[in-house]
């Protein structure tokens, strides 16, 4: 090892030249280097789940959204409800937001119960939400925490965490480009 170190020190200018030449060569070759940072590179092209996902995005539109989480001792407390409702209303007003789903925007069916069953629900002029003045919060809590679609999506099982989901508008040009890419992909197969 000592002999190698002595040789390197004696020929330090040659070693520095070789190191510089290697650095310049590999640095020049970096122009050919690329990284695919998309999640699509991690999925097999023939994966049936990917085909189903692509089809559902084509049929239903964008799957782009932003989630804002909120933690409190009780998300069904009046102050928490006001905060979530205010955030939901403000998010809905932002250009580029297609819709908002939160504890205060989902329609309630049993809080208060509609007269006339399902027909009564359809005849209600304004849907009842957690932010509605006529809402029975205790019944709404029970309804929301008992609904499989809402638990662990917009409210935690213990009622201490809630999410506000803001769905982004589909950029039509991006959708067109995705369809073109998928069309080319199918032609190449």
């Amino acid at each position: 090892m000592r002999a190698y170190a002595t040789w390197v020190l004696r020929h330090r200018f040659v070693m520095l030249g070789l190191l510089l030449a290697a650095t310049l060569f590999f640095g020049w070759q970096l122009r050919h280097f690329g990284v695919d940072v998309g999640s699509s590179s991690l999925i097999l092209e023939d994966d049936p789940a990917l085909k189903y996902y692509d089809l559902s995005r084509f049929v239903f539109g964008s799957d782009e959204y932003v989630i804002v989480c909120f933690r409190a001792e009780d998300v069904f407390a009046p102050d928490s409800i006001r905060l979530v409702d205010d955030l939901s209303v403000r998010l809905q007003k932002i250009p580029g937001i297609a819709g908002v789903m939160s504890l205060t925007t989902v329609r309630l069916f049993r809080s208060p119960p509609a007269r006339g069953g399902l027909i009564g629900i359809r005849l209600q002029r304004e849907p009842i939400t957690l932010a509605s003045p006529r809402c029975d919060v205790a019944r709404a809590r029970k309804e929301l925490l008992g609904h499989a679609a809402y638990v662990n999506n917009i409210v935690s099982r213990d009622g201490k965490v809630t999410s506000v989901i803001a769905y982004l508008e589909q950029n039509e040009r991006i959708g067109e480009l995705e369809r073109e890419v998928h069309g080319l992909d199918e032609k190449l197969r």
Side-chain angles (χ1 to χ4, degrees):
M1 185 71 170
R2 179 170 256 178
Y4 174 73
T6 304
W7 186 87
V8 169
L9 287 175
R10 272 195 212 143
H11 301 94
R12 63 183 168 267
F13 294 115
V14 172
M15 294 302 292
L16 284 173
L18 288 174
L19 183 62
L20 181 63
T23 301
L24 289 174
F25 172 76
F26 289 115
W28 179 252
Q29 294 303 316
L30 277 176
R31 62 193 166 95
H32 301 293
F33 183 73
V35 177
D36 185 1
V37 296
S39 60
S40 61
S41 64
L42 303 174
I43 300 172
L44 297 173
E45 291 179 14
D46 295 331
D47 187 356
L50 176 62
K51 289 183 186 237
Y52 179 77
Y53 171 72
D54 287 339
L55 177 64
S56 68
R57 282 189 42 210
F58 179 75
V59 171
F60 297 109
S62 176
D63 61 349
E64 309 262 339
Y65 52 86
V66 175
I67 299 176
V68 179
C69 294
F70 172 72
R71 180 185 299 264
E73 279 301 312
D74 181 12
V75 296
F76 294 97
D79 288 341
S80 298
I81 293 170
R82 276 192 296 278
L83 182 64
V84 170
D85 189 47
D86 183 50
L87 179 60
S88 299
V89 169
R90 287 177 185 230
L91 283 171
Q92 186 63 53
K93 291 178 181 177
I94 295 175
I97 301 291
V100 175
M101 183 170 68
S102 71
L103 282 177
T104 61
T105 62
V106 295
R107 188 174 186 158
L108 300 170
F109 297 106
R110 299 183 183 112
S111 312
R115 294 187 179 108
L118 288 176
I119 294 171
I121 291 170
R122 287 194 176 152
L123 294 177
Q124 288 177 351
R125 290 193 179 137
E126 286 190 33
I128 302 293
T129 66
L130 193 56
S132 302
R134 296 184 4 219
C135 179
D136 179 343
V137 176
R139 290 180 78 115
R141 174 199 233 6
K142 186 176 180 182
E143 181 177 346
L144 291 166
L145 292 177
H147 200 294
Y150 299 146
V151 172
N152 294 330
N153 286 320
I154 62 168
V155 65
S156 63
R157 200 169 296 287
D158 62 2
K160 292 185 178 192
V161 178
T162 186
S163 299
V164 178
I165 305 170
Y167 295 95
L168 305 178
E169 289 179 353
Q170 173 76 19
N171 183 327
E172 291 303 318
R173 184 67 186 135
I174 290 174
E176 290 172 21
L177 290 172
E178 284 180 349
R179 286 189 284 282
E180 285 180 37
V181 168
H182 286 296
L184 289 174
D185 186 40
E186 291 298 322
K187 287 179 183 176
L188 292 174
R189 288 184 187 190

